[in-house]
mmCIF file of all heavy atoms in Angstrom:
data_model
loop_
_atom_site.group_PDB
_atom_site.id
_atom_site.type_symbol
_atom_site.label_atom_id
_atom_site.label_comp_id
_atom_site.label_asym_id
_atom_site.label_seq_id
_atom_site.Cartn_x
_atom_site.Cartn_y
_atom_site.Cartn_z
ATOM 1 N N SER A 11 94.657 29.100 130.294
ATOM 2 C CA SER A 11 95.279 28.304 131.340
ATOM 3 C C SER A 11 96.779 28.570 131.279
ATOM 4 O O SER A 11 97.255 29.292 130.405
ATOM 5 C CB SER A 11 94.979 26.819 131.146
ATOM 6 O OG SER A 11 95.504 26.368 129.913
ATOM 7 N N LYS A 12 97.511 27.988 132.210
ATOM 8 C CA LYS A 12 98.967 28.175 132.253
ATOM 9 C C LYS A 12 99.649 26.818 132.270
ATOM 10 O O LYS A 12 99.150 25.871 132.864
ATOM 11 C CB LYS A 12 99.366 28.973 133.489
ATOM 12 C CG LYS A 12 98.800 30.379 133.506
ATOM 13 C CD LYS A 12 99.148 31.064 134.817
ATOM 14 C CE LYS A 12 98.425 32.392 134.913
ATOM 15 N NZ LYS A 12 98.560 32.985 136.237
ATOM 16 N N ILE A 13 100.808 26.778 131.627
ATOM 17 C CA ILE A 13 101.652 25.590 131.626
ATOM 18 C C ILE A 13 103.072 26.023 131.983
ATOM 19 O O ILE A 13 103.394 27.209 131.915
ATOM 20 C CB ILE A 13 101.626 24.879 130.249
ATOM 21 C CG1 ILE A 13 102.125 25.820 129.134
ATOM 22 C CG2 ILE A 13 100.222 24.366 129.928
ATOM 23 C CD1 ILE A 13 102.305 25.143 127.776
ATOM 24 N N PRO A 14 103.937 25.070 132.371
ATOM 25 C CA PRO A 14 105.326 25.456 132.638
ATOM 26 C C PRO A 14 105.938 26.145 131.419
ATOM 27 O O PRO A 14 105.737 25.722 130.282
ATOM 28 C CB PRO A 14 106.004 24.114 132.926
ATOM 29 C CG PRO A 14 104.898 23.251 133.449
ATOM 30 C CD PRO A 14 103.681 23.655 132.649
ATOM 31 N N ALA A 15 106.665 27.211 131.665
ATOM 32 C CA ALA A 15 107.299 27.963 130.579
ATOM 33 C C ALA A 15 108.490 27.173 130.031
ATOM 34 O O ALA A 15 109.313 26.684 130.812
ATOM 35 C CB ALA A 15 107.756 29.326 131.079
ATOM 36 N N PRO A 16 108.573 27.051 128.717
ATOM 37 C CA PRO A 16 109.718 26.349 128.122
ATOM 38 C C PRO A 16 111.045 26.981 128.572
ATOM 39 O O PRO A 16 111.213 28.196 128.533
ATOM 40 C CB PRO A 16 109.513 26.544 126.617
ATOM 41 C CG PRO A 16 108.045 26.815 126.455
ATOM 42 C CD PRO A 16 107.651 27.558 127.706
ATOM 43 N N GLY A 17 111.941 26.154 129.051
ATOM 44 C CA GLY A 17 113.233 26.634 129.522
ATOM 45 C C GLY A 17 113.224 27.117 130.960
ATOM 46 O O GLY A 17 114.256 27.472 131.506
ATOM 47 N N ALA A 18 112.045 27.156 131.568
ATOM 48 C CA ALA A 18 111.941 27.590 132.962
ATOM 49 C C ALA A 18 111.029 26.646 133.749
ATOM 50 O O ALA A 18 110.354 27.049 134.680
ATOM 51 C CB ALA A 18 111.412 29.016 133.029
ATOM 52 N N GLU A 19 111.022 25.389 133.359
ATOM 53 C CA GLU A 19 110.157 24.407 134.004
ATOM 54 C C GLU A 19 110.425 24.298 135.500
ATOM 55 O O GLU A 19 109.509 24.050 136.290
ATOM 56 C CB GLU A 19 110.319 23.027 133.347
ATOM 57 C CG GLU A 19 109.804 22.953 131.926
ATOM 58 C CD GLU A 19 110.810 23.399 130.862
ATOM 59 O OE1 GLU A 19 111.910 23.891 131.213
ATOM 60 O OE2 GLU A 19 110.482 23.260 129.667
ATOM 61 N N ASP A 20 111.681 24.523 135.894
ATOM 62 C CA ASP A 20 112.040 24.451 137.312
ATOM 63 C C ASP A 20 111.441 25.590 138.132
ATOM 64 O O ASP A 20 111.422 25.535 139.358
ATOM 65 C CB ASP A 20 113.563 24.442 137.475
ATOM 66 C CG ASP A 20 114.239 25.662 136.855
ATOM 67 O OD1 ASP A 20 113.873 26.029 135.714
ATOM 68 O OD2 ASP A 20 115.122 26.237 137.502
ATOM 69 N N LEU A 21 110.940 26.617 137.485
ATOM 70 C CA LEU A 21 110.350 27.757 138.183
ATOM 71 C C LEU A 21 108.823 27.721 138.189
ATOM 72 O O LEU A 21 108.181 28.660 138.634
ATOM 73 C CB LEU A 21 110.850 29.068 137.572
ATOM 74 C CG LEU A 21 112.353 29.301 137.693
ATOM 75 C CD1 LEU A 21 112.754 30.543 136.928
ATOM 76 C CD2 LEU A 21 112.782 29.386 139.145
ATOM 77 N N TRP A 22 108.235 26.641 137.672
ATOM 78 C CA TRP A 22 106.781 26.473 137.678
ATOM 79 C C TRP A 22 106.298 26.377 139.107
ATOM 80 O O TRP A 22 106.949 25.743 139.917
ATOM 81 C CB TRP A 22 106.408 25.207 136.891
ATOM 82 C CG TRP A 22 104.989 24.775 137.052
ATOM 83 C CD1 TRP A 22 104.539 23.768 137.858
ATOM 84 C CD2 TRP A 22 103.843 25.327 136.416
ATOM 85 N NE1 TRP A 22 103.190 23.668 137.740
ATOM 86 C CE2 TRP A 22 102.728 24.615 136.875
ATOM 87 C CE3 TRP A 22 103.642 26.370 135.521
ATOM 88 C CZ2 TRP A 22 101.440 24.892 136.453
ATOM 89 C CZ3 TRP A 22 102.373 26.649 135.100
ATOM 90 C CH2 TRP A 22 101.278 25.910 135.561
ATOM 91 N N PRO A 23 105.260 26.983 139.513
ATOM 92 C CA PRO A 23 104.274 27.768 138.789
ATOM 93 C C PRO A 23 104.544 29.273 138.806
ATOM 94 O O PRO A 23 103.710 30.065 138.385
ATOM 95 C CB PRO A 23 102.976 27.468 139.541
ATOM 96 C CG PRO A 23 103.431 27.369 140.967
ATOM 97 C CD PRO A 23 104.807 26.723 140.890
ATOM 98 N N HIS A 24 105.729 29.661 139.270
ATOM 99 C CA HIS A 24 106.043 31.088 139.405
ATOM 100 C C HIS A 24 106.272 31.771 138.056
ATOM 101 O O HIS A 24 106.028 32.966 137.906
ATOM 102 C CB HIS A 24 107.248 31.275 140.314
ATOM 103 C CG HIS A 24 107.064 30.592 141.624
ATOM 104 N ND1 HIS A 24 106.220 31.073 142.597
ATOM 105 C CD2 HIS A 24 107.571 29.442 142.128
ATOM 106 C CE1 HIS A 24 106.229 30.262 143.637
ATOM 107 N NE2 HIS A 24 107.047 29.256 143.369
ATOM 108 N N VAL A 25 106.781 31.013 137.094
ATOM 109 C CA VAL A 25 106.960 31.501 135.726
ATOM 110 C C VAL A 25 106.211 30.514 134.841
ATOM 111 O O VAL A 25 106.473 29.310 134.896
ATOM 112 C CB VAL A 25 108.455 31.552 135.330
ATOM 113 C CG1 VAL A 25 108.625 32.010 133.892
ATOM 114 C CG2 VAL A 25 109.228 32.457 136.281
ATOM 115 N N ALA A 26 105.260 31.013 134.078
ATOM 116 C CA ALA A 26 104.404 30.123 133.276
ATOM 117 C C ALA A 26 104.193 30.685 131.875
ATOM 118 O O ALA A 26 104.464 31.856 131.608
ATOM 119 C CB ALA A 26 103.057 29.963 133.975
ATOM 120 N N GLN A 27 103.699 29.828 131.017
ATOM 121 C CA GLN A 27 103.320 30.241 129.668
ATOM 122 C C GLN A 27 101.800 30.225 129.604
ATOM 123 O O GLN A 27 101.159 29.262 130.028
ATOM 124 C CB GLN A 27 103.904 29.299 128.626
ATOM 125 C CG GLN A 27 103.583 29.712 127.202
ATOM 126 C CD GLN A 27 104.250 28.800 126.192
ATOM 127 O OE1 GLN A 27 104.609 27.671 126.481
ATOM 128 N NE2 GLN A 27 104.432 29.303 124.988
ATOM 129 N N LEU A 28 101.240 31.289 129.091
ATOM 130 C CA LEU A 28 99.793 31.414 128.974
ATOM 131 C C LEU A 28 99.315 30.642 127.751
ATOM 132 O O LEU A 28 99.886 30.770 126.660
ATOM 133 C CB LEU A 28 99.417 32.888 128.845
ATOM 134 C CG LEU A 28 97.948 33.230 128.997
ATOM 135 C CD1 LEU A 28 97.434 32.877 130.389
ATOM 136 C CD2 LEU A 28 97.741 34.713 128.738
ATOM 137 N N VAL A 29 98.294 29.834 127.946
ATOM 138 C CA VAL A 29 97.668 29.090 126.847
ATOM 139 C C VAL A 29 96.269 29.664 126.682
ATOM 140 O O VAL A 29 95.412 29.514 127.549
ATOM 141 C CB VAL A 29 97.595 27.581 127.156
ATOM 142 C CG1 VAL A 29 96.875 26.842 126.029
ATOM 143 C CG2 VAL A 29 98.980 27.012 127.379
ATOM 144 N N ASP A 30 96.069 30.343 125.589
ATOM 145 C CA ASP A 30 94.791 31.001 125.297
ATOM 146 C C ASP A 30 94.568 30.969 123.789
ATOM 147 O O ASP A 30 94.748 31.984 123.109
ATOM 148 C CB ASP A 30 94.812 32.440 125.826
ATOM 149 C CG ASP A 30 93.464 33.126 125.721
ATOM 150 O OD1 ASP A 30 92.449 32.434 125.512
ATOM 151 O OD2 ASP A 30 93.433 34.368 125.857
ATOM 152 N N PRO A 31 94.227 29.775 123.262
ATOM 153 C CA PRO A 31 94.087 29.641 121.809
ATOM 154 C C PRO A 31 93.198 30.738 121.217
ATOM 155 O O PRO A 31 92.092 30.981 121.677
ATOM 156 C CB PRO A 31 93.438 28.264 121.640
ATOM 157 C CG PRO A 31 93.847 27.515 122.871
ATOM 158 C CD PRO A 31 93.871 28.556 123.962
ATOM 159 N N GLY A 32 93.746 31.413 120.225
ATOM 160 C CA GLY A 32 93.023 32.495 119.573
ATOM 161 C C GLY A 32 93.140 33.831 120.279
ATOM 162 O O GLY A 32 92.810 34.875 119.720
ATOM 163 N N GLY A 33 93.630 33.837 121.513
ATOM 164 C CA GLY A 33 93.785 35.076 122.279
ATOM 165 C C GLY A 33 95.085 35.769 121.915
ATOM 166 O O GLY A 33 96.055 35.127 121.511
ATOM 167 N N GLU A 34 95.110 37.070 122.086
ATOM 168 C CA GLU A 34 96.318 37.812 121.693
ATOM 169 C C GLU A 34 97.501 37.547 122.623
ATOM 170 O O GLU A 34 98.632 37.812 122.267
ATOM 171 C CB GLU A 34 96.038 39.303 121.572
ATOM 172 C CG GLU A 34 95.755 40.019 122.874
ATOM 173 C CD GLU A 34 95.511 41.507 122.660
ATOM 174 O OE1 GLU A 34 94.566 41.853 121.960
ATOM 175 O OE2 GLU A 34 96.305 42.290 123.213
ATOM 176 N N LEU A 35 97.263 37.026 123.815
ATOM 177 C CA LEU A 35 98.351 36.740 124.745
ATOM 178 C C LEU A 35 98.781 35.276 124.742
ATOM 179 O O LEU A 35 99.632 34.877 125.536
ATOM 180 C CB LEU A 35 97.954 37.163 126.164
ATOM 181 C CG LEU A 35 97.706 38.660 126.359
ATOM 182 C CD1 LEU A 35 97.269 38.939 127.790
ATOM 183 C CD2 LEU A 35 98.938 39.463 126.001
ATOM 184 N N ASP A 36 98.199 34.476 123.863
ATOM 185 C CA ASP A 36 98.557 33.060 123.783
ATOM 186 C C ASP A 36 100.067 32.914 123.586
ATOM 187 O O ASP A 36 100.660 33.537 122.709
ATOM 188 C CB ASP A 36 97.817 32.387 122.623
ATOM 189 C CG ASP A 36 98.064 30.898 122.577
ATOM 190 O OD1 ASP A 36 97.976 30.256 123.637
ATOM 191 O OD2 ASP A 36 98.361 30.377 121.479
ATOM 192 N N GLY A 37 100.689 32.099 124.440
ATOM 193 C CA GLY A 37 102.126 31.846 124.330
ATOM 194 C C GLY A 37 103.003 32.794 125.123
ATOM 195 O O GLY A 37 104.209 32.580 125.229
ATOM 196 N N GLU A 38 102.418 33.845 125.687
ATOM 197 C CA GLU A 38 103.209 34.814 126.454
ATOM 198 C C GLU A 38 103.677 34.195 127.773
ATOM 199 O O GLU A 38 102.988 33.371 128.369
ATOM 200 C CB GLU A 38 102.389 36.066 126.764
ATOM 201 C CG GLU A 38 102.093 36.923 125.556
ATOM 202 C CD GLU A 38 103.332 37.561 124.962
ATOM 203 O OE1 GLU A 38 104.214 38.008 125.714
ATOM 204 O OE2 GLU A 38 103.410 37.618 123.717
#
């Protein structure tokens, strides 16, 4: 799933942080 990116909350949903526990892209 995606959440607002830290430090770029005002650009949500255009810039997001990927939440994928255990996945290699988690946090990207």
Side-chain angles (χ1 to χ4, degrees):
S11 61
K12 297 175 188 171
I13 60 172
E19 292 85 354
D20 58 315
L21 297 174
W22 168 259
H24 307 286
V25 178
Q27 182 176 22
L28 192 63
V29 177
D30 187 15
E34 69 179 61
L35 297 178
D36 185 46
E38 290 293 320

